[in-house]
Amino acid sequence: MLSRKFLRRAAIAGISLVAVVAISAASLWQLDRAFPPPLPVELTVSTEVQDRDGQLLRAFATPDGYWRLKTRLDQVDKQFVDMLVTYEDKRFWDHEGVDVLALARAAGQFANSGHIVSGGSTLSMQLARLIEPRESRSLGSKIKQMLRAIQIERRLSKSEILERYLTLAPYGGNLEGVRAASLAYFGKEPKRLTVSEAALLVALPQLPEKRRPDRNLGIAHAARDRVLTRMVSAGLIGEREAARAALDDVSGLRRTLPALAAHAAYAMLPKAIPGQPLQLTIRKSVQQGLEQVARDAATKLGPRLSVAMVLADSRTGDILGEVGSANFFDASRSGWIDMTKVVRSPGSTLKPFIYGLAFEQGLVAQEMLIEDSPVDFGGYRPKNFDMGYQGDVSIRQALQLSLNVPAIRVLDAVGPARLTARFRQAGVYPVLPVNEAPGLAIGLGGVGVTLRDLVQLYTGLANGGKTHTLHDGTEQANAERTTATILDNQANWQIIDILSGVKPPEGAIQRGIAYKTGTSYGYRDAWSVGFDGRYVLGVWVGRPDAGAVPGLSGYVSAAPILFEGFVRSGLVTVPLPGKPPGVFSPKRNELPVTLTRFGAGSDGLVQATPAEPAPTIIFPPDGARVDLGTSSADASPLVLKLQGGRAPFRWLANGKPLTGIDRRRTATWQPDGAGYSTLTVIDAAGRAASVKVFVE
């Protein structure tokens, strides 16, 4: 039996050992708290600007000049991660920061050979070296790395350690992190790497400067092959797969990182929050296509000319692509100026809205004749672009040919103030000369707007008359976003129908879009704005310094870019909207007398102006057949419009009064079935007007 003395000594020794362990643990805990590893909550990384789907549009280097993109494990190819762990630290998921077996193996190999055969560093130790670079390769530095690795493991999960390593690992030059390296060497994110690409990225961080493929291609090639051989030995990939991967070339090209949407990206920088990406509404594929079109077009157009483009979703107001200049870094074209936001003369691009208001008021029909001849509006004498005149043309032809005189005749009847008020209602504020009221010249570009303004107005044409405030993500969080009516649905369709018949520019493919061109006075700006049933694209061409460019025109210079932009955007064409119920669109021989000719001509036909002394029902015209879809459950109401007379007004349908009296000159009537009906209006003076219509 053991003596009591021996047991007493053993107990004292055990207690002493526990005490030593406890004191040591307490001391280590205190040291750990006193000297924590430098682990910031957020690493200093490049500011990223992403598209609507999270794809990288543009990155900005860190303050110390490195391309260092924050990396999550779900952004990296899983096979690459498996290869990295297998090659660098095969017991990574099991150890607590230091792999004792790996250290023992490395020490034994060194003792036998006299030089380092393999290292014993874990990924945690390598992260410790990355966040706290060592001054020397001494034993003391190695021990410090081991202690730091243990500290790191206590504070971060294994996934967090991997993510930080993948963000900070060196890949040559000023590239840090696997995302920057993959983009620079392969031109793609590391989400889907080939076996060859993954092997190269595993090999580079060990000797990043010596192995970087853009400088030492042969060494990089050999390093990749060694990784492939190791993966076969570890059973991670098969021999045939490794052999196929070894046949892939290693590119010696270092690409620039994505640099899309330069103007919008720079505008986002004031909103940057460290470690968080900035997001635009832009779609990367659309942006790439538009930028390429702009660069190619500017090269063809010649020196000093620039191109700006905006493509928007008319249903939401989201800008899917915007090009502020043909080349941001081209000083000869003043590429740093964002021409999508510069106020310029819009030429003839506002004409569709002039005619749209006239359709809305019942002043015109597509086949109505209008005179294109010299005219004087109190000293203002508009002339056509080609200085010639067509004589009598239809309203449809006048807009499709973009004739100036007919447009001003219609604007004179509609009223310039009403046109600009409708623009303001849609969130667009045209710039007029100081202290000047809207005049007839605004119909031919005598007003200032931006390309974004134009696209915003045209979103109404593509969206049934409803405009949305454009936005790309650069706006303030509290920026007002509005939806407004630019034209009623029936008038809107009339304009779509006309513009969809405009001949495409020479060599362009008809894509089922409607479009309008414009050229500002003095050949300073060329415009083209087009749309399908959802997307609107606007193009501006000119010199940023507003210099004249002889021969510049919307049809010749901007329209081809518009059609090419739609093609290169990659968007699927959405059909233009069909004819809505209630649209009055008769043939010429079916026109009522009040809609045969616009204005009082020498033949004495009725003048279509809004200033008749007695009430006149201008829509629907007498004898019209109107399709309201009465056979369906969702039949549309008929819009009633009148001119002249004294408010208030009372409407009657087949002798029965509609609800109440109204001071407005418009009303709606919901028929109870198909057939002939008589509509009557009575003004405050007791004067009446009636029309007979057939409702379908």
Side-chain angles (χ1 to χ4, degrees), residues 197-211:
E197 291 167 345
L200 180 62
L201 293 180
V202 167
L204 289 180
Q206 294 181 337
L207 296 168
E209 291 304 320
K210 185 177 181 180
R211 294 177 178 176

Side-chain angles (χ1 to χ4, degrees), residues 464-614:
K466 303 290 186 182
T467 63
H468 289 281
T469 303
L470 297 192
H471 54 276
D472 61 6
T474 62
E475 302 80 13
Q476 296 296 324
N478 59 353
E480 185 179 3
R481 291 171 57 177
T482 61
T483 301
T485 299
I486 186 70
L487 292 173
D488 71 32
N489 194 25
Q490 288 82 8
N492 194 74
W493 179 85
Q494 299 277 12
I495 300 303
I496 293 174
D497 188 51
I498 294 173
L499 295 183
S500 64
V502 178
K503 181 182 177 182
E506 185 176 354
I509 300 173
Q510 175 58 271
R511 287 178 51 85
I513 65 173
Y515 80 107
K516 182 72 182 74
T517 62
T519 307
S520 68
Y521 178 78
Y523 304 97
R524 290 176 171 83
D525 309 274
W527 306 84
S528 186
V529 190
F531 56 93
D532 62 13
R534 179 165 187 172
Y535 303 110
V536 182
L537 175 59
V539 176
W540 169 88
V541 177
R543 284 177 48 166
D545 62 1
V549 183
L552 187 74
S553 76
Y555 187 76
V556 173
S557 307
I561 301 174
L562 175 81
F563 278 77
E564 183 66 16
F566 267 112
V567 172
R568 298 290 288 274
S569 71
L571 297 171
V572 177
T573 302
V574 179
L576 291 165
K579 184 177 180 179
V583 169
F584 180 64
S585 186
K587 298 177 181 178
R588 182 167 299 173
N589 60 0
E590 299 173 340
L591 288 170
V593 66
T594 55
L595 291 176
T596 55
R597 177 179 290 274
F598 186 89
S602 58
D603 52 7
L605 290 176
V606 177
Q607 182 177 3
T609 69
E612 297 293 333

Side-chain angles (χ1 to χ4, degrees), residues 239-285:
E239 291 186 6
R240 290 186 178 182
E241 187 176 14
R244 286 194 299 269
L247 294 175
D248 292 345
D249 290 332
V250 175
S251 173
L253 174 68
R254 172 173 166 171
R255 301 165 177 82
T256 57
L257 267 63
L260 298 168
H263 297 90
Y266 277 102
M268 288 290 280
L269 283 179
K271 301 170 71 172
I273 298 174
Q276 296 185 19
L278 301 165
Q279 194 162 43
L280 293 167
T281 62
I282 285 171
R283 183 173 294 163
K284 185 175 182 179
S285 58

Side-chain angles (χ1 to χ4, degrees), residues 43 81 104 106 198 423 457 631:
L43 298 174
V81 176
F423 289 161
L457 292 176
S631 60

